[in-house]
Amino acid sequence: MTDRLTLIRPDDWHIHLRDGEVLKHSVADAGRVFSRAIIMPNLVPPVRDGQQADAYKARILAARPAGSQFEPLMVLYLTDQTTPEMVRAAKLQGQAVAAKLYPAGATTNSQSGVTALENIYPALEAMAEVGMLLLVHGEVTHAEVDIFDREKAFIDQQLVKVVERFPTLKVVFEHITTGDAVDFVRSASDQVGATITAHHLLYNRNHMLVGGIRPHFYCLPILKRQRHQQALGDAVVSGSNKFFLGTDSAPHARHAKEAACGCAGCYTAHAAIELYAEAFDELGALDKLEGFASLHGPDFYGLPRNTDQITLIREDWQAPNSLPLGDHEVVPLRAGETIHWRVI
Ligand SMILES: NC(=O)N[C@@H](CC(=O)O)C(=O)O
Ligand SMILES: [Zn+2]
Ligand SMILES: [Zn+2]
């Protein structure tokens, strides 16, 4: 049994840091282990152009603890008004490495998202030309589509069209949750990859709904049935370089989650690599963690791999019941429970 694991330092290819007072906590947690992170742009209002990305980046850098080398990689939020010029300018000036498609209404702070795919075709064409990645929140929003089927419907109705029309565009299917998404990514070209969260590897909808409703497991895309959780496990166990680490750590204040209508998002930045280590350990695939966490992401983005290392040991510790989040508190995943790996 492996009790000690040394990896090239990992990066997080999908995280929400929010803004303002919250940054001092969210940035410290993100930079605790990760070298770089893809910073999601769903602020209110969203990060729509290169200048806004630059200003947000400066706020993140200013919130880093002393001595931190954490590097935020910025992302534009696509709207119906995103122009090819905005894309080219942001890429040319090094302000953003990717742009994010949120179908309008799909998730937290997606009110300004794209209402019809055709509206961003000119922007997608420019992205393919200049080498800016497309990141997608892959769920349809039609009221008649069941929430558990929204990812599959997005593949069939939208994603197939995008990859067919823009074969040279690099696409990251974010936080995939179904066997359908795994199959799609596997059979797509090398231009298509996907992030997988620790919570979707560790949990399924029973964890959220059996024996009481657990709001801290509620995220989007929603946890699916066990068969889909297993498909995600199979994807990472395969060692395919199309799959890489994206925590989707998404803090919401406790009162906004423990409510009659609770927000979507799980906070995992306090123990992200540790939770992935647990998931890979349960799958008997600790030898696949380094590729997933540290190599496939930078390779897909065309960025250099990190050169230093981290070490994890098998050792129990207890996650805190809550953590400070600006003026509020956040209940992290596994709050008050045991986590079985630790970074030394
Ligand atoms: N994942 C979530 O449930 N929530 C994210 C948004 C997102 O990534 O869809 C958030 O910003 O809170
Ligand atoms: Zn999302
Ligand atoms: Zn997210």
Side-chain angles (χ1 to χ4, degrees):
M1 196 160 76
T2 317
D3 289 324
R4 191 184 174 91
L5 195 61
T6 295
L7 312 172
I8 292 186
R9 183 174 295 282
D11 305 295
D12 185 350
W13 301 94
H14 182 137
I15 194 169
H16 301 267
L17 297 179
R18 314 302 189 202
D19 207 351
E21 283 302 296
V22 167
L23 285 177
K24 71 170 179 267
H25 299 122
S26 62
V27 172
D29 277 357
R32 182 181 62 94
V33 169
F34 295 119
S35 169
R36 296 165 287 195
I38 284 284
I39 312 302
M40 287 296 144
N42 61 333
L43 305 180
V44 188
V47 179
R48 280 155 301 182
D49 61 31
Q51 277 181 351
Q52 290 167 354
D54 239 17
Y56 184 31
K57 182 177 184 174
R59 297 195 294 278
I60 294 167
L61 292 175
R64 289 186 304 185
S68 168
Q69 302 289 309
F70 176 68
E71 186 189 346
L73 302 170
M74 308 310 290
V75 177
L76 301 185
Y77 180 115
L78 293 166
T79 73
D80 290 345
Q81 281 77 44
T82 307
T83 61
E85 292 70 35
M86 288 158 76
V87 166
R88 289 204 188 88
K91 175 71 184 178
L92 199 71
Q93 293 169 47
Q95 294 161 325
V97 298
K100 179 84 188 261
L101 165 60
Y102 290 99
T107 188
T108 305
N109 303 339
S110 63
Q111 306 87 321
S112 329
V114 173
T115 60
L117 209 51
E118 294 71 28
N119 296 339
I120 55 164
Y121 278 175
L124 295 183
E125 201 167 305
M127 287 167 62
E129 262 170 48
V130 300
M132 187 182 271
L133 284 81
L134 174 68
L135 317 182
V136 296
H137 179 107
E139 289 191 289
V140 297
T141 56
H142 321 300
E144 70 277 13
V145 180
D146 189 275
I147 186 167
F148 291 99
D149 299 333
R150 287 180 171 199
E151 187 171 272
K152 172 156 174 35
F154 182 85
I155 298 169
D156 298 342
Q157 297 172 20
Q158 315 231 8
L159 200 49
V160 166
K161 273 204 270 182
V162 173
V163 301
E164 210 170 270
R165 192 179 176 109
F166 303 98
T168 60
L169 180 65
K170 276 202 166 167
V171 178
V172 184
F173 194 172
E174 298 291 342
H175 47 43
I176 60 169
T177 62
T178 58
D180 309 283
V182 170
D183 292 343
F184 172 80
V185 172
R186 272 215 182 104
S187 60
S189 80
D190 288 350
Q191 304 296 101
V192 179
T195 55
I196 303 180
T197 75
H199 46 285
H200 288 100
L201 287 171
L202 288 165
Y203 300 113
N204 60 60
R205 65 194 194 181
N206 273 14
H207 296 99
M208 176 175 61
L209 295 171
V210 172
I213 185 163
R214 293 179 176 72
H216 298 290
F217 280 134
Y218 176 63
C219 65
L220 290 171
I222 198 161
L223 291 170
K224 304 297 192 297
R225 58 170 67 241
Q226 187 181 26
R227 162 165 69 80
H228 292 296
Q229 180 195 1
Q230 282 164 351
L232 300 175
D234 292 345
V236 302
V237 170
S238 78
S240 161
N241 62 3
K242 285 172 158 277
F243 301 102
F244 43 93
L245 186 158
T247 62
D248 195 21
S249 182
H252 291 275
R254 175 199 280 273
H255 64 85
K257 298 240 354 135
E258 296 175 6
C261 182
C263 294
C266 298
Y267 192 70
T268 51
H270 65 301
I273 195 66
E274 296 86 343
L275 290 165
Y276 279 107
E278 259 193 50
F280 278 66
D281 198 5
E282 280 174 19
L283 291 162
L286 280 174
D287 60 319
K288 299 295 189 335
L289 183 59
E290 184 177 52
F292 177 82
S294 313
L295 309 180
H296 304 165
D299 292 357
F300 191 85
Y301 272 79
L303 294 168
R305 294 173 172 183
N306 295 318
T307 50
D308 62 332
Q309 296 179 317
I310 64 158
T311 296
L312 287 140
I313 55 168
R314 187 194 301 278
E315 186 179 290
D316 285 357
W317 58 287
Q318 206 188 359
N321 290 321
S322 75
L323 288 164
L325 183 72
D327 299 332
H328 299 279
E329 55 172 5
V330 62
V331 178
L333 205 80
R334 282 285 173 82
E337 293 173 34
T338 304
I339 294 179
H340 303 294
W341 286 83
R342 172 195 284 291
V343 174
I344 55 167

